[in-house]
Amino acid sequence: MDNLLNYTLEELKVWMKENGESEFRGKQILSWIYKGINQFDNMRNIPKSLISKLNENFIIDLPKIIEVYKSDIDGTEKFLLGFKDGNLIESVLMRYKHGNSICISTQVGCRMGCKFCASTLEGRIRNLTTGEILSQVLVVQNHIDERISNIVLMGSGEPLDNYENVVKFLEVVSAEYGLNIGQRHITLSTCGIVPKIYELADKEYSITLAISLHAFSDEKRKEIMPVANKYSIDQILEACRHYINKTNRRITFEYALVKEVNDSREDAKALGKLLKGMLCHVNLIPVNEIKENTYKRSSKKSIDDFSEILKSYGIEVTTRREMGSDINAACGQLRRSYMETQEMREE
Ligand code: SAH
């Protein structure tokens, strides 16, 4: 059976036509789903005959909420979600004054191999489908019974390594018939898969592109990010300039500060020189320490110095506020710790 969440309105209209139904039913059905109705039998304006056809052909496949962890510090909620094939992913809901924001995953695991990241330790298990990416927003929105207004694709996985499904997700989630979340409220974060940045630029979406840079030189970047062996910083910046030309959108550069690895004043100056004059913004992320490696977070003083130096190059800088530090909210840690406790129980 097909997951209806994988369908765009256009595709559903085609199905309706091929199955002797009126095309406008497509819109009615999707609007029920995106209002939170996930059983065909509860779709009141749909004729019985069509409901039984839908039941024969489709499911609205939402993951199961396995656990919800809520931070006592800031209300951040971490959802551990399970798919039918037994795979687990995590999505994080963050509450801000400007609205609810969700961080979602695009793959089970990841094959990019960044040294400081917990999501990549067992490699990529599989891509998520469009419907599975979308269903994270749906299931959490239904659970909290409040609207989600912002999305960041910064959970497990490399979005541009699952390009087709992610692009389709962007189309549906921002469509009026879908969740109607404005593209300006969506951020896609990538470690820098250059050819896909060009492809994405040509779509001319108004989403924010965030690049995980984490180093000013290829040599340094290679030490922590294997993808740097494939694409150079020059190539990435060239692709970013193309993205800016096409979309007129400011790029975000993410820079995880790791003690004594990439956080010196010299690093900051070199990064300042590299990015000076570009339509961009740097987001400094004090690295989240994970138990599988020995990387340490930079001191508050180094973070502040780093930020001031970048600002002296005319670059806009923000330092990411840590959310949900009491609930393992960062970077694939929850899924791993959950799986470890399950393994212990099974032993
Ligand atoms: N694969 C994509 C998106 C997922 S990771 C990417 O690389 O951008 C989202 C962000 O979290 C990236 O900037 C990533 O480098 C960062 N990240 C991963 N592990 C981290 C950790 N332990 N501490 C801080 N940031 C981390």
Side-chain angles (χ1 to χ4, degrees), residues 73-87:
I73 303 173
D74 52 35
T76 295
E77 281 178 73
K78 184 142 193 171
F79 293 79
L80 187 69
L81 305 176
F83 293 112
K84 291 210 173 70
D85 66 355
N87 275 307

Side-chain angles (χ1 to χ4, degrees), residues 103-104 106-107 110 112 114 116-119 153-160 188-192 210-214 225 254-257 285-290 293 297 320 330-331 333:
C103 173
I104 58 176
T106 53
Q107 298 177 319
C110 182
M112 296 298 129
C114 300
F116 43 83
C117 178
S119 303
L153 290 110
M154 289 189 189
S156 295
E158 167 49 51
L160 298 187
L188 182 152
S189 176
T190 175
C191 62
I211 304 282
S212 300
L213 199 58
H214 305 326
M225 299 179 72
E254 295 162 277
Y255 195 101
L257 283 162
I285 316 169
V287 81
N288 288 302
E289 295 172 8
I290 59 171
N293 67 44
R297 171 174 295 201
R320 189 175 297 171
C331 313
Q333 293 173 29

Side-chain angles (χ1 to χ4, degrees), residues 231-249:
Y231 304 111
S232 69
I233 293 180
D234 277 352
Q235 289 173 314
I236 294 177
L237 295 187
E238 201 47 50
C240 288
R241 287 188 194 98
H242 177 75
Y243 191 90
I244 295 168
N245 284 338
K246 278 281 185 174
T247 63
N248 228 348
R249 300 284 296 159

Side-chain angles (χ1 to χ4, degrees), residues 197-198 200-202 204-209 238-251:
I197 297 176
Y198 283 97
L200 187 67
D202 293 341
E204 299 186 23
Y205 294 148
S206 47
I207 62 168
T208 298
L209 180 66
E238 201 47 50
C240 288
R241 287 188 194 98
H242 177 75
Y243 191 90
I244 295 168
N245 284 338
K246 278 281 185 174
T247 63
N248 228 348
R249 300 284 296 159
R250 185 177 76 160
I251 302 270

Side-chain angles (χ1 to χ4, degrees), residues 63-299:
K64 209 167 130 197
I65 300 181
I66 312 268
E67 303 259 13
V68 185
Y69 305 81
K70 189 164 185 169
S71 164
D72 292 331
I73 303 173
D74 52 35
T76 295
E77 281 178 73
K78 184 142 193 171
F79 293 79
L80 187 69
L81 305 176
F83 293 112
K84 291 210 173 70
D85 66 355
N87 275 307
L88 299 172
I89 54 154
E90 27 186 288
S91 315
V92 184
L93 174 79
M94 292 157 289
R95 294 170 187 278
Y96 295 105
K97 282 195 201 82
H98 62 263
N100 293 320
S101 181
I102 189 169
C103 173
I104 58 176
S105 299
T106 53
Q107 298 177 319
V108 183
C110 182
R111 59 173 173 169
M112 296 298 129
C114 300
K115 296 269 171 59
F116 43 83
C117 178
S119 303
T120 198
L121 292 161
E122 280 111 32
R124 181 185 67 178
I125 296 162
R126 68 172 178 84
N127 280 334
L128 296 182
T129 62
T130 298
E132 287 171 333
I133 303 173
L134 204 54
S135 65
Q136 299 168 58
V137 189
L138 265 178
V139 100
V140 172
Q141 185 163 272
N142 293 347
H143 179 85
I144 61 171
D145 201 18
E146 283 173 45
R147 182 175 144 81
I148 289 175
S149 52
N150 293 268
I151 300 178
V152 296
L153 290 110
M154 289 189 189
S156 295
E158 167 49 51
L160 298 187
D161 187 36
N162 183 13
Y163 184 80
E164 297 302 328
N165 290 330
V166 166
V167 160
K168 200 165 157 190
F169 158 78
L170 294 171
E171 298 272 348
V172 177
V173 81
S174 61
E176 225 174 284
Y177 67 81
L179 284 167
N180 201 7
I181 297 180
Q183 290 183 352
R184 285 169 182 272
H185 300 276
I186 302 176
T187 298
L188 182 152
S189 176
T190 175
C191 62
I193 310 213
V194 168
K196 295 294 175 195
I197 297 176
Y198 283 97
E199 272 187 59
L200 187 67
D202 293 341
K203 297 268 181 202
E204 299 186 23
Y205 294 148
S206 47
I207 62 168
T208 298
L209 180 66
I211 304 282
S212 300
L213 199 58
H214 305 326
F216 72 85
S217 72
D218 291 326
E219 205 185 333
K220 274 213 158 190
R221 203 165 182 257
K222 283 177 194 170
E223 284 174 25
I224 47 177
M225 299 179 72
V227 69
N229 292 302
K230 192 139 185 209
Y231 304 111
S232 69
I233 293 180
D234 277 352
Q235 289 173 314
I236 294 177
L237 295 187
E238 201 47 50
C240 288
R241 287 188 194 98
H242 177 75
Y243 191 90
I244 295 168
N245 284 338
K246 278 281 185 174
T247 63
N248 228 348
R249 300 284 296 159
R250 185 177 76 160
I251 302 270
T252 296
F253 290 103
E254 295 162 277
Y255 195 101
L257 283 162
V258 190
K259 192 174 192 169
E260 285 161 18
V261 172
N262 63 359
D263 68 341
S264 70
R265 301 177 67 87
E266 286 63 44
D267 287 283
K269 285 179 199 159
L271 185 65
K273 279 187 199 141
L274 185 72
L275 300 181
K276 195 175 160 61
M278 200 165 168
L279 182 63
C280 74
H281 155 253
V282 173
N283 194 205
L284 297 175
I285 316 169
V287 81
N288 288 302
E289 295 172 8
I290 59 171
K291 65 178 188 326
E292 290 83 359
N293 67 44
T294 55
Y295 292 121
K296 291 276 170 270
R297 171 174 295 201
S298 305
S299 67

